[in-house]
Amino acid sequence: MSALARTFKIGGDLEVNRLGFGAMRLAGKGIWGEPKDPDEAKRVLKRAVALGVNFIDTADSYGPDISEQLIGGTLSLFPKDSWSQRKPG
């Protein structure tokens, strides 16, 4: 049995680590509004990137727009090539 690759390409050009982060739960209860503890949400995002996550699955309907605002604001200090925020389709 062969080992799984640690990375793969999305769309032929975006190389990401196999382990990503789903941002749906960053928003408030029921995926609406601000999270109960925005600072904790920011800590989770920073820790995920520190652990090697470079692909964050999000959508503008989470919050709405809350998860994307948290991600952009929190990770703007990280080098842009260290993470990617996308929701294709």
Side-chain angles (χ1 to χ4, degrees):
M1 177 180 220
S2 64
L4 290 175
R6 292 185 53 130
T7 63
F8 64 96
K9 289 187 178 184
I10 296 176
D13 64 343
L14 178 65
E15 187 167 357
V16 297
N17 293 330
R18 186 158 293 279
L19 180 62
F21 179 80
M24 184 171 77
R25 299 304 305 162
L26 286 178
K29 185 175 181 180
I31 316 169
W32 293 102
E34 297 284 335
K36 184 176 180 180
D37 186 348
D39 290 332
E40 180 64 16
K42 293 172 186 176
R43 281 191 293 275
V44 167
L45 285 166
K46 289 176 184 175
R47 182 69 175 145
V49 172
L51 290 171
V53 168
N54 68 345
F55 183 78
I56 300 172
D57 177 30
T58 188
D60 60 359
S61 61
Y62 302 161
D65 300 318
I66 299 298
S67 71
E68 292 176 329
Q69 291 170 9
L70 280 168
I71 293 164
T74 303
L75 301 184
S76 64
L77 300 176
F78 283 79
K80 181 58 183 154
D81 62 349
S82 68
W83 62 278
S84 176
Q85 167 185 314
R86 306 224 176 162
K87 186 64 164 194

